[in-house]
C-alpha cells in the first residue's frame, strides 16, 4: 500500500499544503491547497495565530486529514539557528550526547529553552564527524504546536522551511545542480537564502523581498499599495515594461548583495566550496526579467523552478494549478517528501519530544476507551471490589467528600485571584502580548470654534514586525550612504566588541537584542487589571571605514555619523518605515501631513566609534584579519560589490557601531492610564 504524507507551509499570508504518495520508488502529487489567511480575519482584527488555526481547520476538515496521518509543518528560517559543527569520531550511541555538549557553545540560547535536532553529514573522513545542527526557541515551536492543536490537526514533524527547499532540490533537480548551489525563495517580507554543498546546508534569511519591490514601484509611479502590487505582477504586459523594471532594480541589487555576502561567508568557512549556480523560487521569481538580471549580476547559471519532473501529477490534480503555483509550493512539497522518509531528504525534526510522547500515550489510551461497554463494566466491577476490600461504602464516601471540600476551597482561592470576566481587559492583555506603542500623535487643539480638536493618540506596532522594520531601515540607509560616494569606502564588518561573548558574534556583522518588562496594572488587591509590557528592541550593525593617509578614523566616523544621524538619513528612514506600518494597519486614517510631522517616535539612533575603545590607541586602526570573515565583500553600490583597491593586508580600518532602538511601550486601558495620571498629579 502506498504511503502518503502532507506537507504544510505556514506562511505569513497563506497556508500552502500538498499531499504526496510514495509507492515502488515513485512519488505522486495527490492534492494541493492554498488558503489565504485574509479569509480568516488576518488584517481585519484576527491575530496571525488565530487566522492560521482557522485556515488549518478548514484544510483538515475539507481534505479529510485524520489523526495518525503523516503531517509535516514548517517553521520559518528567521525563527531558527543553523550550524555545521565538527566533532571527533564517537560511537553511534554517544553521538547525541557529544553534540549536546557542543551545542551549548554553538547555540546562543539556553539549551533547556530550545528544541534542536541534527543530521550527520556523510563524508569519508575517519578523523572527523560533521553534522548539520538546527535549533529554535521552545516557545516559538510550542506556538506552532498550539496553533495546530487549535485546528484539531495532529502533526508528526516540524521542519525548517529552507530545509524543505533543500529536500525539493535534492529530489527534483539533477546532481549537477543539487550537489552545489544557492537557492533563494523570494517571499513577501523576507528572502530565504539556502546554500547547498553536498549534504551541508547554510541558511540565511535576508530582509529584502517582494514588499520592497512593491514599495519601490509605489515611490517611482506614485501608486497605491494594491496598484503597485498589480503592476509588479503584470509588469511583462505593461507598455512601460522597461521603466517598471528600472524602478525594481534597487531592491533587486540589494538582494544580489545579500546573496554575495551569504556565499562569501560560507566560502570563507569552507574553502573547497564551488557555488556557481542559483535556483530561484517563490512568487518573486515570476517577476519581469529577474532571471536574466541575476545571471548578469552574479555570473551564475540561474534555474527557475518549473513543473516537477520526478514528482508525477495524479489525475485528481489540475496541472494548470500546479504550473501556476509551483514556485510557491516547493517548501510544502519538500516537507511532504520528508514525511515519505525518502533517502535523499534532510531528516531534521524540531517537534518537541513531549508532544511525541503525548501522541504515543493517546494511542495507548484509545483502545481502552474504544472498548466500550465491556471496559466500562470491568471498571465498575473493579471499583466495587475496591470498596468492599477497604472497609465499606461509608469510608469511600467520606474520603470523596473530604476531597471535594478541599477542591472547592482551592477553586475559590484561584477564582479570587483571577481578573474579573471582563472582555475589554482581556482584549488589552492580548494586545500587549502582540504589540506595543511605537509613537504618539500629540493632542490636536481646535483650529476654530467649529473644530473640536482630537485627543492624543497612541500608535502601535506589532512586536514580531519590529525587528524587520529596524533591519530594513538600517540597511537601506547604509546602502544609500555607500551609494552616495562618501570620502572613504565602508564595509559591513564581522566585528566582535570586547567583552561580548557568544558564537553568533563571530559570524555576523549585526546583532538583534530584545528585552521585555512585563507588568500587571489596574489591579486591586490581586483582582482586576490587565497585562502590559514594555519591549526594547535594538539592532546593531558594525561598519568598517577604510582609512587612508588623509582620512583617519575620526574623520571617517564623523562623516558616517553626520550623514546617518545629524542629516537624518537613518532617523528619517526609520520614521518612514514606522509610518508605513501605521498606514498599513489603518491607524493614520484622517491624519493630515501636517499632523504627521508632530508625531513623537519611541526611537533612537546612535553611532559610536568603538574600535579605539575596544582595542586602545595603539591598535585602533584594524587590519582585515581583525574583521572576521569579511572576505572583502562590502555594502553594495549599484553594480558590482566594492572590494579594497589594494592588497587586503595593507588596508586599515576604523570601526563604528550603528545602534538603532525601538521601544514598544505598554498599551493601557483608559481607566488605568487616567489613574496613573491622577497619581502623578498628586
Amino acid at each position: 500500500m502506498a504511503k502518503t504524507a502532507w506537507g504544510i507551509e505556514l506562511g505569513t499570508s497563506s497556508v500552502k499544503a500538498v499531499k504526496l504518495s510514495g509507492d515502488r520508488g515513485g512519488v505522486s502529487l495527490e492534492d494541493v491547497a492554498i488558503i489565504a489567511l485574509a479569509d480568516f480575519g488576518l488584517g481585519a482584527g484576527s491575530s496571525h495565530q488565530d487566522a492560521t488555526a482557522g485556515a488549518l481547520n478548514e484544510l483538515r476538515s475539507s481534505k479529510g486529514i485524520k489523526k495518525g496521518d503523516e503531517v509535516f509543518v514548517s517553521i520559518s528560517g528567521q525563527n531558527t539557528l543553523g550550524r555545521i559543527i565538527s566533532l571527533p569520531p564517537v560511537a553511534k550511541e554517544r553521538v547525541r550526547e557529544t553534540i549536546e555538549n557542543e551545542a551549548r557553545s554553538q547555540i546562543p540560547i539556553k539549551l533547556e529553552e530550545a528544541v534542536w535536532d541534527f543530521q550527520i553529514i556523510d563524508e569519508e573522513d575517519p578523523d572527523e564527524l560533521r553534522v548539520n545542527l538546527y535549533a529554535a526557541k521552545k516557545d516559538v515551536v510550542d506556538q506552532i504546536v498550539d496553533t495546530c492543536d487549535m485546528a484539531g490537526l495532529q502533526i508528526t514533524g516540524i521542519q525548517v522551511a529552507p530545509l524543505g527547499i533543500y529536500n525539493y532540490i535534492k529530489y527534483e533537480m539533477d546532481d549537477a545542480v543539487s550537489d552545489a548551489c544557492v537557492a533563494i525563495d523570494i517571499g513577501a517580507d523576507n528572502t530565504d537564502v539556502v546554500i547547498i554543498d553536498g549534504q551541508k546546508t547554510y541558511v540565511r534569511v535576508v530582509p529584502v523581498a517582494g514588499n520592497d519591490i512593491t514599495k519601490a514601484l509605489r515611490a517611482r509611479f506614485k501608486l497605491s499599495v494594491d496598484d503597485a502590487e498589480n503592476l509588479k505582477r503584470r509588469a511583462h504586459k505593461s507598455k512601460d515594461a522597461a521603466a517598471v523594471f528600472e524602478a525594481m532594480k534597487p531592491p533587486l541589487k540589494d538582494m544580489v548583495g545579500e546573496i554575495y555576502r551569504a556565499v562569501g561567508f560560507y566560502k570563507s568557512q569552507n574553502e573547497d566550496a564551488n557555488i556557481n549556480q542559483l535556483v530561484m523560487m517563490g512568487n518573486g521569481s515570476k517577476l519581469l526579467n529577474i532571471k536574466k538580471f541575476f545571471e548578469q549580476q552574479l555570473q551564475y547559471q540561474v534555474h527557475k523552478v518549473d513543473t516537477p519532473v520526478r514528482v508525477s501529477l495524479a489525475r485528481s490534480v489540475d496541472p494548470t494549478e500546479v504550473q501556476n503555483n509551483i514556485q510557491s509550493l516547493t517548501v510544502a512539497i519538500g516537507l511532504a517528501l520528508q514525511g515519505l522518509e525518502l533517502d535523499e531528504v534532510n531528516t531534521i525534526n524540531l517537534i518537541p519530544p513531549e508532544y511525541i510522547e503525548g501522541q504515543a500515550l493517546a494511542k495507548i489510551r484509545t483502545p481502552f476507551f474504544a472498548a466500550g461497554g465491556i471496559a466500562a463494566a470491568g471498571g465498575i466491577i473493579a471499583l466495587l471490589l475496591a470498596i468492599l476490600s477497604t472497609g465499606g461504602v461509608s469510608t469511600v464516601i467520606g474520603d470523596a467528600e473530604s476531597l471535594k471540600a478541599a477542591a472547592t476551597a482551592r477553586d475559590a482561592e484561584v477564582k479570587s485571584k483571577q481578573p474579573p470576566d471582563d472582555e475589554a481587559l482581556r482584549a488589552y492583555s492580548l494586545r500587549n502580548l502582540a504589540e506595543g506603542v511605537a509613537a504618539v500623535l500629540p493632542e490636536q487643539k481646535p483650529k476654530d470654534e467649529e473644530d473640536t480638536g482630537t485627543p492624543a493618540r497612541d500608535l502601535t506596532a506589532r512586536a514580531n514586525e519590529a525587528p524587520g522594520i529596524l533591519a530594513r531601515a538600517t540597511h537601506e540607509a547604509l546602502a544609500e550612504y555607500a551609494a552616495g560616494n562618501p570620502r572613504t569606502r565602508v564595509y559591513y564588518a564581522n566585528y566582535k566588541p570586547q567583552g561580548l561573548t557568544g558564537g553568533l558574534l563571530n559570524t555576523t556583522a549585526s546583532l538583534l537584542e530584545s528585552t521585555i518588562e512585563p507588568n500587571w496594572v489596574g489591579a486591586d488587591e490581586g483582582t482586576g487589571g490587565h497585562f502590559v509590557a514594555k519591549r526594547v528592541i535594538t539592532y546593531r550593525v558594525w561598519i568598517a571605514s577604510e582609512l587612508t593617509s588623509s582620512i583617519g578614523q575620526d574623520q571617517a566616523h564623523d562623516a558616517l555619523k553626520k550623514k546617518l544621524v545629524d542629516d537624518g538619513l537613518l532617523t528619517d528612514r526609520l520614521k518612514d518605515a514606522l509610518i508605513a506600518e501605521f498606514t498599513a494597519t489603518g491607524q493614520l486614517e484622517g491624519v493630515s501631513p501636517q499632523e504627521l510631522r508632530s508625531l513623537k517616535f519611541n526611537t533612537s539612533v546612535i553611532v559610536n566609534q568603538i574600535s579605539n575603545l575596544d582595542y586602545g590607541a595603539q591598535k585602533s586602526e584594524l587590519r582585515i584579519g581583525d574583521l572576521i570573515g569579511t572576505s572583502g565583500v562590502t555594502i553594495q553600490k549599484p553594480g558590482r560589490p566594492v572590494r579594497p583597491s589594494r592588497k587586503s593586508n595593507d588596508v586599515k580600518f576604523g570601526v563604528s557601531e550603528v545602534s538603532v532602538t525601538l521601544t514598544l511601550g505598554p498599551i493601557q486601558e483608559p481607566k488605568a492610564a487616567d489613574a496613573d495620571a491622577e497619581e502623578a498629579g498628586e
Side-chain angles (χ1 to χ4, degrees):
M1 182 176 177
K3 182 175 182 178
T4 62
W6 280 92
I8 306 174
E9 181 183 9
L10 308 180
T12 57
S13 60
S14 66
V15 166
K16 305 177 186 72
V18 300
K19 180 183 180 182
L20 299 184
S21 67
D23 188 25
R24 298 178 182 177
V27 174
S28 174
L29 197 160
E30 304 286 339
D31 209 342
V32 175
I34 300 176
I35 304 175
L37 298 187
D39 294 344
F40 294 87
L42 186 65
S46 293
S47 68
H48 185 270
Q49 184 179 19
D50 288 345
T52 301
L56 289 175
N57 182 57
E58 170 67 20
L59 174 70
R60 177 190 58 78
S61 58
S62 63
K63 300 298 182 181
I65 304 176
K66 304 181 295 296
K67 289 185 177 180
D69 287 353
E70 200 77 20
V71 179
F72 270 72
V73 299
S74 68
I75 180 172
S76 68
Q78 66 191 101
N79 284 324
T80 60
L81 293 166
R83 298 284 188 273
I84 300 171
I85 61 175
S86 300
L87 305 168
V90 295
K92 287 186 177 180
E93 60 271 15
R94 291 196 56 213
V95 169
R96 188 169 187 88
E97 175 190 349
T98 305
I99 292 174
E100 183 172 352
N101 294 332
E102 183 66 20
R104 293 186 183 278
S105 62
Q106 294 281 350
I107 300 176
I109 54 177
K110 292 182 179 178
L111 210 56
E112 293 74 20
E113 299 174 359
V115 180
W116 60 278
D117 196 14
F118 67 94
Q119 181 179 36
I120 297 176
I121 298 169
D122 294 330
E123 292 184 330
E124 296 180 359
D125 187 349
D127 298 324
E128 187 177 47
L129 176 67
R130 304 188 83 184
V131 300
N132 288 316
L133 173 68
Y134 282 86
K137 285 189 175 181
K138 191 175 184 300
D139 57 353
V140 176
V141 175
D142 286 343
Q143 187 178 38
I144 293 174
V145 172
D146 291 344
T147 303
C148 294
D149 283 347
M150 289 165 62
L153 181 69
Q154 188 181 81
I155 59 177
T156 50
I158 298 176
Q159 173 61 290
V160 185
L163 295 184
I165 294 170
Y166 169 94
N167 290 345
Y168 182 90
I169 290 176
K170 282 292 184 181
Y171 188 79
E172 263 297 321
M173 309 197 81
D174 60 50
D175 293 345
V177 178
S178 64
D179 280 349
C181 67
V182 55
I184 58 171
D185 185 3
I186 306 172
D189 297 317
N190 300 291
T191 297
D192 288 338
V193 179
V194 189
I195 294 175
I196 301 174
D197 185 14
Q199 287 186 317
K200 296 191 289 290
T201 58
Y202 173 69
V203 173
R204 184 175 188 143
V205 181
V206 301
V208 184
N211 287 344
D212 297 284
I213 298 171
T214 304
K215 288 178 184 177
L217 293 176
R218 286 187 65 194
R220 172 65 179 82
F221 298 107
K222 310 301 181 186
L223 300 172
S224 67
V225 174
D226 291 341
D227 289 342
E229 188 67 26
N230 288 333
L231 178 60
K232 180 178 72 174
R233 296 177 184 275
R234 302 174 62 84
H236 60 287
K237 296 183 178 181
S238 171
K239 61 181 180 180
D240 297 320
V244 173
F245 184 71
E246 198 64 30
M248 291 162 51
K249 276 187 178 180
L252 290 177
K253 287 181 178 179
D254 290 342
M255 198 179 297
V256 168
E258 295 289 355
I259 296 169
Y260 262 122
R261 289 189 65 206
V263 175
F265 170 74
Y266 182 80
K267 287 184 175 181
S268 73
Q269 307 294 311
N270 300 269
E271 296 179 356
D272 296 335
N274 182 25
I275 310 296
N276 56 17
Q277 302 201 64
L278 177 76
V279 181
M280 301 177 62
M281 58 197 70
N283 284 326
S285 66
K286 301 177 183 179
L287 295 177
L288 171 72
N289 291 336
I290 191 169
K291 180 176 182 288
K292 181 179 179 181
F293 177 80
F294 274 87
E295 286 175 337
Q296 292 174 342
Q297 294 289 312
L298 291 167
Q299 295 298 301
Y300 284 1
Q301 185 176 356
V302 177
H303 312 265
K304 292 180 72 172
V305 168
D306 207 338
T307 305
V309 177
R310 290 187 66 189
V311 176
S312 62
L313 303 184
R315 292 182 179 179
S316 56
V317 175
D318 181 357
T320 302
E321 181 184 14
V322 176
Q323 177 69 33
N324 291 339
N325 295 291
I326 187 62
Q327 291 87 355
S328 59
L329 292 174
T330 51
V331 171
I333 293 174
L335 299 177
L337 288 170
Q338 183 170 347
L340 294 179
E341 299 180 339
L342 301 180
D343 293 337
E344 297 100 320
V345 302
N346 188 286
T347 59
I348 297 292
N349 190 347
L350 297 180
I351 196 165
E354 56 268 25
Y355 183 82
I356 299 174
E357 293 168 5
Q359 287 182 321
L361 288 173
K363 289 180 181 178
I364 294 172
R365 293 192 193 104
T366 301
F368 174 81
F369 290 107
I374 296 174
I380 293 171
I381 293 170
L383 177 60
L384 289 173
L385 290 173
I387 292 173
L388 294 173
S389 66
T390 55
V393 176
S394 60
T395 303
V396 174
I397 292 176
D399 290 344
E401 289 179 345
S402 176
L403 290 171
K404 180 180 178 182
T408 301
R410 283 197 302 272
D411 289 345
E413 182 181 0
V414 170
K415 188 174 182 180
S416 70
K417 295 182 178 179
Q418 288 180 331
D421 190 12
D422 188 323
E423 293 300 326
L425 293 177
R426 288 186 181 183
Y428 277 103
S429 294
L430 290 172
R431 284 191 68 192
N432 275 287
L433 287 171
E435 56 186 313
V437 177
V440 176
L441 182 64
E443 176 187 2
Q444 305 298 313
K445 295 182 179 180
K447 299 174 184 176
D448 50 49
E449 293 181 358
E450 296 181 358
D451 185 12
T452 58
T454 56
R457 188 195 312 177
D458 288 340
L459 302 177
T460 63
R462 291 164 289 181
N464 64 328
E465 296 285 348
I469 291 172
L470 294 182
R472 282 193 294 272
T474 302
H475 289 290
E476 285 174 3
L478 288 170
E480 185 174 336
Y481 175 74
N485 294 316
R487 292 181 63 196
T488 181
R489 291 171 175 169
V490 288
Y491 302 74
Y492 288 117
N494 287 348
Y495 181 76
K496 184 173 181 180
Q498 303 298 301
L500 289 182
T501 59
L504 183 66
L505 294 175
N506 288 321
T507 60
T508 183
S510 61
L511 176 67
L512 179 69
E513 300 169 296
S514 179
T515 61
I516 183 169
E517 299 175 12
N519 200 358
W520 193 268
V521 301
D524 181 15
E525 296 183 357
T527 63
H530 65 283
F531 171 82
V532 298
K534 175 184 176 183
R535 295 178 179 86
V536 179
I537 303 163
T538 302
Y539 185 66
R540 304 181 191 277
V541 181
W542 293 291
I543 300 298
S545 299
E546 184 176 335
L547 307 180
T548 66
S549 58
S550 59
I551 302 176
Q553 59 178 327
D554 290 341
Q555 294 94 324
H557 168 78
D558 290 344
L560 179 69
K561 181 179 179 181
K562 181 180 184 302
K563 191 67 175 178
L564 296 183
V565 182
D566 300 340
D567 294 350
L569 175 59
L570 178 49
T571 51
D572 290 345
R573 284 273 187 169
L574 183 55
K575 291 176 181 179
D576 290 345
L578 286 169
I579 288 174
E581 172 71 9
F582 301 149
T583 303
T585 51
Q587 299 180 73
L588 294 180
E589 290 184 10
V591 178
S592 67
Q594 183 178 359
E595 290 172 335
L596 276 182
R597 288 195 287 272
S598 67
L599 275 176
K600 298 185 183 302
F601 295 88
N602 298 341
T603 59
S604 68
V605 178
I606 301 173
V607 180
N608 286 324
Q609 183 177 340
I610 60 173
S611 54
N612 58 346
L613 298 177
D614 287 338
Y615 284 88
Q618 292 183 346
K619 199 189 176 185
S620 59
E621 295 179 349
L622 307 180
R623 301 297 180 100
I624 195 73
D626 298 308
L627 309 178
I628 306 166
T630 54
S631 299
V633 179
T634 74
I635 298 173
Q636 299 301 301
K637 292 185 179 181
R640 300 177 181 177
V642 179
R643 299 178 183 275
S645 57
R646 291 163 283 156
K647 291 183 179 179
S648 295
N649 291 336
D650 296 333
V651 182
K652 294 181 180 179
F653 303 90
V655 178
S656 300
E657 180 183 80
V658 179
S659 176
V660 185
T661 298
L662 171 63
T663 299
L664 296 181
I667 303 171
Q668 296 198 354
E669 188 262 342
K671 291 180 181 178
D674 294 344
D676 290 346
E678 290 177 9
E679 184 178 342
E682 293 176 1

